[in-house]
Amino acid sequence: RSFLFRQYDEIMKAPGILSRLLGNKIPLFSLFVVGVFYEGLSSFCMARRTQDDIWITRGNAALAFIQHWSNLAPRNFENKLLLLEAEKYFTVDDSYQAQKCYEDAIRSAQTHQFIHEEAISHELAGLFYLDKGQHDKSRQSLSRSIGCFKLWGASAVVERLS
C-alpha cells in the first residue's frame, strides 16, 4: 500500500519484511514473498530520493530473494525480477539496461497475465523516461499504466496517476 500510494514516510518507518523473514521472526507465506518484491521497489525508489546506501542494500537483498523465487517459479516471478532489475539499473544510472529490463518486465507481465504488475511496470517505466527527458515515451507508458490499473479496478491508483 505504501508503495502504490507513494507514502514515503511510511516506507522509511517500516522495519522491512525481508529482514524479519531472514531472521525467522515470521513464517514464510506467499504474501510475504510478494511483500519483499514491493519492499525492493520501495527501497530502490528511496535510494534515488535520499541517496542513502542503506536503501540500495535493502533493494539488492530483495532482488536476490526474488531471484531465488524466480528460479523456482519463473512464471510467477520473472516479471517481478525484471522490474526490480530495471529499478536497480535506474538507481545506478545504467539507462540502457534499465530500459531493456522495463520492456522485458512489461512483456513478461503481459505474457503471464499479471495486469496489476504490468500497470506498475508501465508506471515505473514512465517515471524513468520522464527522468531521462523522454516525455513522449513517459506519457505513453503512464497512459498504459492508467489503462491497466483501470482494468484491474484500482480506481484510487488511477486517480493518483491522473
Side-chain angles (χ1 to χ4, degrees):
R1 186 178 97 109
S2 298
F3 176 77
L4 285 176
F5 292 101
R6 303 299 188 264
Q7 297 168 328
Y8 298 111
D9 290 339
E10 293 297 316
I11 292 169
M12 292 187 78
K13 288 190 281 187
I17 295 170
L18 183 57
S19 62
R20 294 188 314 185
L21 281 173
L22 295 177
N24 295 319
K25 294 184 177 144
I26 55 176
L28 182 60
F29 297 110
S30 60
L31 182 61
F32 293 128
V33 175
V34 174
V36 171
F37 164 66
Y38 285 105
E39 183 176 321
L41 295 177
S42 298
S43 294
F44 287 125
C45 177
M46 292 304 296
R48 289 190 302 274
R49 288 176 63 88
T50 67
Q51 303 298 306
D52 188 341
D53 287 343
I54 189 67
W55 295 109
I56 292 176
T57 300
R58 284 177 70 171
N60 284 333
L63 179 62
F65 185 83
I66 296 299
Q67 171 72 60
H68 170 74
W69 283 92
S70 182
N71 291 337
L72 296 174
R75 183 186 190 288
N76 293 328
F77 290 95
E78 177 187 65
N79 73 297
K80 294 169 185 65
L81 176 64
L82 289 163
L83 187 55
L84 283 170
E85 288 176 339
E87 285 290 286
K88 176 184 177 173
Y89 288 126
F90 180 15
T91 301
V92 300
D93 204 27
D94 185 339
S95 295
Y96 175 78
Q97 287 297 330
Q99 181 173 340
K100 181 182 179 319
C101 287
Y102 284 122
E103 291 168 0
D104 290 345
I106 290 165
R107 197 170 10 264
S108 177
Q110 287 170 338
T111 298
H112 301 299
Q113 300 178 342
F114 292 113
I115 191 74
H116 60 298
E117 291 171 357
E118 180 185 346
I120 293 167
S121 297
H122 277 299
E123 179 184 358
L124 295 177
L127 296 174
F128 164 75
Y129 292 130
L130 183 63
D131 183 78
K132 301 305 174 191
Q134 298 179 31
H135 299 285
D136 289 340
K137 275 188 159 184
S138 175
R139 242 184 320 279
Q140 186 178 44
S141 287
L142 291 171
S143 176
R144 287 182 179 158
S145 175
I146 289 169
C148 291
F149 277 126
K150 280 182 184 175
L151 284 174
W152 190 43
S155 55
V157 180
V158 168
E159 188 176 316
R160 176 182 61 79
L161 287 170
S162 295

